[in-house]
């Protein structure tokens, strides 16, 4: 037995081992490169409730702190998406008298800034002090703690019940599910909803997006496993909707049992998941094998380009870059550096593999021959912005779902 399920205490069956890895967003200053924290990044599925999850976990205080490098407002696509999210809540769930919304993991205020501008009562719960401070500067009300049942009780006492609790790319980070869902139960009004959108196991399996696996992603949800998780905690999954984020996420809506009618979209997704045999051991074992193939192909390609004297850099330093470079053993011998638009990442090193992260002008100032697209979920935005690179003869390298050099015509059409 590889471990114990955090939802139901069933046995975990391990299916992929990505080796020794640091915390994915733990971008280091060059003087911090010694004494880095490592753990074994491996994923298993629960034989009883089907939830896919990390075998080992990193304490949350090591993941989220005042030096948290991920700023959600870092891309135009993210900003537009979360503003649309906020507008939808304002038009649907937040129309009653003096409505109240809580966001778990509000980060730099990418979503709540729009709610704050509309003058609607809100609270962001965000333990990473640096990003919380950015949100506060945008007029967002923030509580600087981890969300759990105690935080929920304190919020209820101070602000009253909540019409909407929202989370994006945060709920799958929270290992203490029991405390989380008891907190939701404490906070929600009788007709309130808990809405969260998270990376999808179906995308990881379908597109072989194995670099979505890292320390922060404790759970790899499906509608099927979320329905079971909700049921075990006295809540009901009433909707699941595909969202074009991070290569294909799902937005789940939980409500009190019987309070909302389950949607046809949820039923369709549950059927689709059963047909795909998504969380079946055979499907997951296959994922483990193909990930090894991607590693072999990527290292082979980079080694060949190096031998041919080509310059190769990386584009984007999302958390994913940590998983890929550490799993594949890619260091500065194969990739000179990566560029990223996030100021807080620049001048730092990618955790574990220690590739330098530079500002985008290191790329545009002297185009390399090839650029590995680590921020592949923003491919269209990036390739469109970097047409001059392709025009100068530069080529993009992608590695999910397979390792390939993007044809010039495809990059130009982006
Ligand atoms: N919602 C944003 C940010 C996601 S990053 C987006 O979708 O882009 C995840 C955020 O969750 C981080 O800012 C982290 O500090 C925060 N977080 C992690 N655990 C949390 C917890 N238990 N309660 C509240 N926030 C948490
Ligand atoms: P994310 O997909 O997890 O949001 O991470 C994307 C990373 O890529 C983030 O660090 C910002 C970076 N990025 C760029 O450097 N240039 C770009 O044009 C875009 C869209 C993102
Ligand atoms: Zn389980």
């Amino acid at each position: 037995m590889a471990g114990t399920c955090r939802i139901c205490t069933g046995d975990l069956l391990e299916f992929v081992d990505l080796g020794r890895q640091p915390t994915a967003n733990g971008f280091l200053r060059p003087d911090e490169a010694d004494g880095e924290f490592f753990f074994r990044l491996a994923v298993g599925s629960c034989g009883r409730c089907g939830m896919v999850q990390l075998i080992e976990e990193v304490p949350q205080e090591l993941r989220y702190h005042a030096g948290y490098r991920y700023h959600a407002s870092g891309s135009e696509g993210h900003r537009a998406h979360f503003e649309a999210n906020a507008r939808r809540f304002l038009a649907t769930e937040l129309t009653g008298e003096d409505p109240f919304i809580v966001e778990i993991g509000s980060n730099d205020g990418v979503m709540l800034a729009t709610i704050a501008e509309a003058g609607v009562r809100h609270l962001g719960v965000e333990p990473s002090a640096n990003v919380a401070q950015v949100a506060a500067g945008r007029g967002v009300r923030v509580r600087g703690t981890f969300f759990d049942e105690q935080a929920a009780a304190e919020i209820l006492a101070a602000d009253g019940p909540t019409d909407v609790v929202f989370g994006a790319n945060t709920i799958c980070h929270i290992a203490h599910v029991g405390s989380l869902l008891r907190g939701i139960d404490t906070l929600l009004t009788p007709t309130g909803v808990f809405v969260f959108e998270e990376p999808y196991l179906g995308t990881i399996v379908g597109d072989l997006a194995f670099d979505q696996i890292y320390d922060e992603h404790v759970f790899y949800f499906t509608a099927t496993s979320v329905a079971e998780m909700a049921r075990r905690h006295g809540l009901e999954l009433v909707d699941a909707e595909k969202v074009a984020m991070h290569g294909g996420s799902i937005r789940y809506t939980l409500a009190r049992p019987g309070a909302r009618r389950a949607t046809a979209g949820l039923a369709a997704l549950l059927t689709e998941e059963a047909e795909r045999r998504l969380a079946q051991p055979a499907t997951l074992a296959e994922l483990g094998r193909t990930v090894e193939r991607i590693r072999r192909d990527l290292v082979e390609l980079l080694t060949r380009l190096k031998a041919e004297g080509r310059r190769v850099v990386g584009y984007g330093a999302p958390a994913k870059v940590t998983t890929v470079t550490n799993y594949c053993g890619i260091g500065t011998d194969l990739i000179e550096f990566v560029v990223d638009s996030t100021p807080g990442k620049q001048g730092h090193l990618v955790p574990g593999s220690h590739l330098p992260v530079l500002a985008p002008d290191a790329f545009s100032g002297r185009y390399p021959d090839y650029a590995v697209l680590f921020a592949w979920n923003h491919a269209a935005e990036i390739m469109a912005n970097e047409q001059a690179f392709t025009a100068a003869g530069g080529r993009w390298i992608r590695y999910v779902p397979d390792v390939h050099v993007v044809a010039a015509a495809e990059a130009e059409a982006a």
Side-chain angles (χ1 to χ4, degrees):
M1 184 188 83
T4 302
C5 176
R6 295 169 180 85
I7 309 288
C8 78
T9 72
D11 291 349
L12 297 181
L13 177 69
E14 180 174 322
F15 62 87
V16 63
D17 180 357
L18 298 172
R20 199 170 154 269
Q21 294 267 353
T23 60
N25 274 311
F27 292 88
L28 311 149
R29 286 193 317 264
D31 62 299
E32 295 170 328
D34 293 334
E36 223 178 332
F37 174 89
F38 286 92
F39 79 117
R40 190 174 79 92
L41 181 62
V43 188
S45 63
C46 174
R48 192 189 293 165
C49 77
M51 182 64 82
V52 172
Q53 55 201 283
L54 292 185
I55 306 283
E56 287 183 18
E57 82 195 41
V58 177
Q60 60 182 1
E61 291 77 12
L62 289 183
R63 293 183 266 147
Y64 313 108
H65 42 65
Y68 188 64
R69 299 282 155 214
Y70 182 69
H71 287 242
S73 299
S75 92
E76 182 52 43
H78 270 61
R79 287 195 295 276
H81 173 76
F82 286 113
E83 184 182 331
N85 253 321
R87 300 223 174 278
R88 191 161 124 175
F89 284 135
L90 289 169
T92 55
E93 302 293 337
L94 300 173
T95 55
E97 202 184 312
D98 193 23
F100 179 46
I101 177 170
V102 168
E103 183 177 3
I104 303 176
S106 46
N107 197 268
D108 61 5
V110 67
M111 198 284 284
L112 283 181
T114 302
I115 303 282
E117 274 164 32
V120 167
R121 259 191 333 126
H122 64 274
L123 181 68
V125 183
E126 177 48 68
S128 295
N130 58 331
V131 289
Q133 201 176 352
V134 175
R138 298 167 80 176
V140 173
R141 198 174 146 239
V142 191
R143 173 191 165 100
T145 65
F146 288 95
F147 184 88
D148 55 17
E149 57 189 323
Q150 189 195 330
E154 289 169 16
I155 295 167
L156 180 75
D159 296 304
T162 312
D163 300 287
V164 179
V165 178
F166 178 67
N169 306 299
T170 298
I171 303 310
C172 74
H173 298 209
I174 300 179
H176 49 272
V177 183
S179 177
L180 163 77
L181 293 177
R182 284 191 293 277
I184 299 294
D185 181 50
T186 299
L187 272 181
L188 285 187
T189 64
T191 55
V193 283
F194 177 32
V195 180
F196 52 100
E197 47 177 72
E198 308 289 320
Y200 183 39
L201 181 69
T203 301
I204 297 178
V205 168
D207 295 342
L208 305 175
F210 71 98
D211 53 357
Q212 293 276 19
I213 300 173
Y214 50 88
D215 63 313
E216 295 185 35
H217 294 161
V218 177
F219 294 107
Y220 301 83
F221 293 144
T222 60
T224 310
S225 62
V226 168
E228 177 62 13
M229 174 176 89
R231 194 189 62 74
R232 285 175 177 270
H233 289 89
L235 292 165
E236 186 183 0
L237 176 65
V238 295
D239 189 29
E241 188 189 345
K242 292 186 179 173
V243 170
M245 293 284 283
H246 297 291
S249 294
I250 302 283
R251 159 190 266 248
Y252 304 94
T253 302
L254 271 50
R256 297 193 185 281
R260 303 254 175 149
R261 190 192 301 240
T263 63
L266 169 61
L269 188 60
L270 291 170
T271 304
E272 182 183 317
E273 289 179 355
E275 283 170 2
R276 288 180 68 187
R277 301 172 170 278
L278 250 194
Q280 296 293 320
T283 310
L284 298 173
E286 173 69 16
L287 173 67
R289 284 191 292 276
T290 43
V291 164
E292 286 172 19
R293 189 200 70 217
I294 291 177
R295 168 168 64 179
R296 193 194 57 220
D297 292 351
L298 183 58
V299 171
E300 216 169 84
L301 174 63
L302 296 178
T303 306
R304 178 167 64 76
L305 294 175
K306 175 83 180 182
E308 291 171 357
R310 310 287 187 177
R311 283 188 64 225
V312 182
V313 310
Y315 202 104
K320 304 174 193 74
V321 75
T322 301
T323 295
V324 187
T325 56
N326 285 281
Y327 174 60
C328 298
I330 295 169
T332 47
D333 52 332
L334 294 178
I335 294 183
E336 268 179 58
F337 55 79
V338 299
V339 293
D340 194 284
S341 57
T342 314
K345 293 181 183 175
Q346 296 163 9
H348 287 65
L349 303 174
V350 172
S353 60
H354 297 176
L355 301 178
V357 184
L358 305 178
D361 56 10
F363 174 79
S364 47
R366 182 171 159 245
Y367 286 131
D369 300 302
Y370 292 86
V372 182
L373 193 48
F374 289 116
W376 53 259
N377 49 317
H378 302 281
E381 181 177 345
I382 291 172
M383 292 201 270
N385 286 339
E386 300 289 1
Q387 289 292 347
F389 167 60
T390 322
R395 291 292 172 266
W396 297 103
I397 293 173
R398 300 194 59 170
Y399 55 90
V400 292
D402 55 27
V403 176
H404 65 282
V405 175
V406 177
E410 191 187 322
E412 278 156 13

